[in-house]
Amino acid sequence: MSKEHQVVERARRAFQTGKSKPLEFRLNQLKSLHRFINERRKDIADAVKKDLNKVSVNAAVYQEVLDLEGEINVAVERLTEWAAPRPVEKSLVTIADEVYIRPEPLGVVLIIGAWNYPWVVTLQPLVGAIAAGNAAVVKPSEVSSHSAKLMEELLPLYLHEELYPVVCGGVSETQELLRQRFDHVFYTGNSTVGRLVMEAAARHLTPVTLELGGKSPCYIDKNVDLTVACRRITWGKFVNCGQTCIAPDYILCEPSIQNRLVEEIRKCITEFYTDDPKNFEDYGRIINQRHFQRLMSLLEGSTVAIGGDSDESQCYIAPTVLKDVTGDSKVMQEEIFGPILPIITISGVDEAIQFINDREKPLALYVFSQDNKLIRRVVAETSSGALVANDCLVHFTINALPFGGVGKSGMGQYHGQHSFDQLSHLRACLIKKLNMEAANAMRYPPHTDKKLGWARIFLLKQVNLGRLRRMAMLAMFTALGAFIVQVRCFTVVPNLWSADQANAGGPNLFLQILNIIVLLQF
């Protein structure tokens, strides 16, 4: 029996005890996770510095810890609401029954993290798994080895060791984990490994969440404020040295603004990273030499407009912009995942939409324009995991929005309640009593009583009880309004109303009441 098999079996036995299910236990574990990232903030920053050369503690905290803290806080605050039974609409046959959706834990979840943000993309899914009442085996990326080792050492000091074990290792350990049976597999990474994860999960009919990536386009309208647009694009592209799955992968713009675009981005690079990004503390490095060499090879055949400097010994690549790139260029054949930004010129929004739709659906799509009609057209005529207008990356920070891909960029979604639902079984429940059999006879086979045919159709029809309640209230207030009018018209209260006032004002008042009720109810 392999080590990985033993870990999974221990987690499953711990889950079967029911220990992870009570809300009090889940909340305590989430609070312990929050305490972990607060108490070990410096250790986390040091590990990230060693993995990605993020010298600044502030950069590591900002990029790794803050979103994670926010995710935990929302889960703690809303867990009782998320886990509560969810009533649904009934038919007349089931109107006296309990009909609801009950979120239940799936079981044992495998979480395979990524190296580019080794803490946030590994532990955010864990927040959802804990909140949903699951056990979870955490497999951090071996590429960010310092973060993985720290997670393995420290996380068991804060979380239940058997329910939430950490397994470190490389390809062989991951393959052995994938041979085990899980109730859900959550993978963040590239599409090549994503296919292998999905294939392994299919052997056990295990559902998967695949957070992949792709080439996220960025269309810039010629009439936009280029100074503002370029600041936001420069930040979104080069943060974490371009190693962000939702970073703008390439720019689409008209030829008339290409040179201005280059100059504005040049100014922003200098503003953000100085004239010497190599020695600037907040500009990181490529994760390893293999990725460095891959990125440098993507520059072949393209015109460098900004940057292009590199140092293999430090895995350093300067913020780089390429111009006059075409769809057939080498840099356009795969996700870049580094500090290289190609500019492709197109004739306008029509060609931009066509260019985007001719390729795989991206994880994110960015459009910069002051024209709301143009933005809505891009929304309507394209497909992507997310669409952001006039900014980059910020949708990741909003836990009310589902984060995930579509098509080749991934499947499934998470963040906030979306994580909870993704890692829960939404169980359909109907609790009926054994009385009222005469009413239940309506649903039995037609030959038992042919006279009930039409009644059967009516009773089985789904009923919107909320609408029925609103209609009942409308009828009640309408009757009340009519009564008030009658009272006034017949001068039942002569001291307060004259006959003329009643006749003139009564109907108007009735109509006002009726209008208010209609507006409130519908």
Side-chain angles (χ1 to χ4, degrees):
M1 186 182 293
S2 67
K3 172 189 171 184
E4 290 76 19
H5 181 78
Q6 293 175 12
V7 168
V8 175
E9 285 304 304
R10 279 199 301 270
R12 189 168 296 283
R13 286 196 298 271
F15 173 76
Q16 288 171 347
T17 65
K19 188 174 183 65
S20 66
K21 293 183 179 181
L23 289 187
E24 183 179 0
F25 177 84
R26 304 186 207 181
L27 290 169
N28 286 336
Q29 292 294 292
L30 289 170
K31 291 173 183 177
S32 294
L33 184 59
H34 191 278
R35 186 163 52 87
F36 163 63
I37 62 175
N38 270 286
E39 293 179 357
R40 302 293 183 165
R41 186 170 295 204
K42 186 178 184 305
D43 297 322
I44 292 172
D46 290 343
V48 171
K49 173 186 174 181
K50 293 173 183 175
D51 287 327
L52 290 154
N53 198 40
K54 293 178 182 174
V55 180
S56 169
V57 173
N58 290 333
V61 169
Y62 173 72
Q63 295 171 15
E64 295 282 352
V65 173
L66 294 183
D67 282 341
L68 188 53
E69 283 184 332
E71 190 80 1
I72 296 171
N73 289 337
V74 168
V76 169
E77 181 183 342
R78 305 287 297 280
L79 181 57
T80 302
E81 174 189 336
W82 295 347
R86 306 173 188 181
V88 298
E89 293 179 359
K90 306 176 185 181
S91 68
L92 289 176
V93 168
T94 62
I95 199 166
D97 305 328
E98 291 182 65
V99 186
Y100 58 91
I101 297 168
R102 183 175 188 265
E104 294 184 344
L106 290 173
V108 183
V109 176
L110 173 61
I111 299 170
I112 304 176
W115 55 261
N116 58 326
Y117 293 92
W119 293 90
V120 68
V121 301
T122 305
L123 297 186
Q124 272 198 350
L126 178 61
V127 173
I130 294 172
N134 299 293
V137 176
V138 179
K139 171 60 181 69
S141 173
E142 71 280 5
V143 178
S144 50
S145 57
H146 298 91
S147 293
K149 186 172 184 295
L150 186 68
M151 201 177 295
E152 182 184 35
E153 290 176 356
L154 297 184
L155 203 60
L157 302 179
Y158 291 83
L159 298 183
H160 192 286
E161 191 171 0
E162 292 184 345
L163 282 168
Y164 313 111
V166 179
V167 176
C168 285
V171 174
S172 60
E173 287 81 4
T174 305
Q175 289 175 336
E176 182 61 27
L177 276 174
L178 288 170
R179 292 188 187 101
Q180 313 308 313
R181 182 178 70 83
F182 289 93
D183 299 290
H184 196 98
V185 177
F186 195 112
Y187 168 75
T188 303
N190 63 62
S191 58
T192 301
V193 178
R195 290 188 180 91
L196 299 176
V197 170
M198 193 170 183
E199 182 181 351
R203 297 191 188 104
H204 301 287
L205 293 179
T206 299
V208 297
T209 299
L210 301 179
E211 297 295 339
L212 307 178
K215 298 185 74 65
S216 296
C218 178
Y219 172 68
I220 303 177
D221 182 19
K222 66 180 179 181
N223 296 318
V224 78
D225 184 333
L226 281 182
T227 301
V228 174
C230 288
R231 281 177 62 84
R232 296 178 184 182
I233 293 167
T234 302
W235 169 76
K237 177 61 183 180
F238 298 113
V239 67
N240 200 32
C241 207
Q243 298 166 118
T244 304
C245 61
I246 51 174
D249 192 89
Y250 60 93
I251 287 175
L252 297 171
C253 69
E254 294 185 30
S256 61
I257 66 169
Q258 181 178 217
N259 290 335
R260 288 174 54 209
L261 195 63
V262 169
E263 291 309 309
E264 289 293 340
I265 293 175
R266 190 191 309 276
K267 293 176 187 176
C268 293
I269 290 173
T270 301
E271 179 187 352
F272 294 164
Y273 305 110
T274 75
D275 291 324
D276 186 15
K278 185 176 182 180
N279 294 309
F280 185 64
E281 64 174 7
D282 279 343
Y283 188 73
R285 296 294 185 266
I286 305 306
I287 186 69
N288 56 34
Q289 289 198 339
R290 181 173 69 85
H291 282 282
F292 173 88
Q293 292 163 3
R294 178 188 65 82
L295 286 166
M296 292 305 296
S297 71
L298 295 181
L299 298 177
E300 296 172 7
S302 295
T303 302
V304 175
I306 301 173
D309 303 330
S310 63
D311 183 344
E312 186 170 359
S313 66
Q314 292 190 25
C315 290
Y316 166 78
I317 299 177
T320 299
V321 177
L322 309 178
K323 69 176 185 176
D324 299 323
V325 176
T326 69
D328 297 325
S329 299
K330 187 174 182 180
V331 74
M332 290 300 295
Q333 304 313 305
E334 62 180 81
E335 182 181 5
I336 296 170
F337 217 69
I340 300 170
L341 181 60
I343 300 176
I344 299 173
T345 56
I346 38 86
S347 59
V349 67
D350 291 337
E351 188 179 351
I353 290 173
Q354 186 64 50
F355 189 93
I356 293 166
N357 289 339
D358 284 344
R359 286 154 179 78
E360 296 288 351
K361 295 177 180 179
L363 185 56
L365 193 163
Y366 302 105
V367 53
F368 284 81
S369 176
Q370 295 169 174
D371 184 349
N372 287 333
K373 186 176 179 182
L374 183 148
I375 292 171
R376 289 191 175 90
R377 183 182 171 195
V378 176
V379 171
E381 297 183 18
T382 61
S383 178
S384 60
L387 183 142
V388 179
N390 298 321
D391 212 338
C392 295
L393 312 190
V394 293
H395 63 290
F396 183 86
T397 66
I398 302 174
N399 51 51
L401 286 175
F403 183 84
V406 58
K408 196 175 178 181
S409 61
M411 61 183 67
Q413 54 198 15
Y414 73 121
H415 285 186
Q417 186 174 353
H418 306 289
S419 300
F420 179 90
D421 288 348
Q422 185 75 19
L423 298 176
S424 296
H425 169 54
L426 301 181
R427 189 181 190 183
C429 296
L430 189 151
I431 313 300
K432 181 180 284 291
K433 295 181 172 61
L434 288 172
N435 55 5
M436 297 181 66
E437 184 60 15
N440 288 331
M442 296 285 187
R443 63 194 171 120
Y444 295 146
H447 67 269
T448 59
D449 191 342
K450 295 183 180 179
K451 295 179 181 179
L452 298 177
W454 288 106
R456 183 178 295 111
I457 293 172
F458 176 70
L459 288 174
L460 293 179
K461 185 176 177 62
Q462 190 174 13
V463 177
N464 186 330
L465 294 179
R467 186 176 178 84
L468 282 179
R469 282 192 293 269
R470 292 194 295 269
M471 290 176 66
M473 288 180 66
L474 175 62
M476 181 181 70
F477 280 108
T478 301
L480 178 62
F483 175 75
I484 291 172
V485 170
Q486 274 194 334
V487 167
R488 291 179 177 177
C489 287
F490 288 97
T491 64
V492 174
V493 282
N495 293 332
L496 295 177
W497 292 89
S498 67
D500 290 340
Q501 287 173 323
N503 291 331
N508 289 334
L509 180 61
F510 166 67
L511 290 176
Q512 290 172 9
I513 293 172
L514 185 58
N515 286 334
I516 291 171
I517 293 168
V518 170
L519 287 173
L520 287 174
Q521 300 306 314
F522 294 93

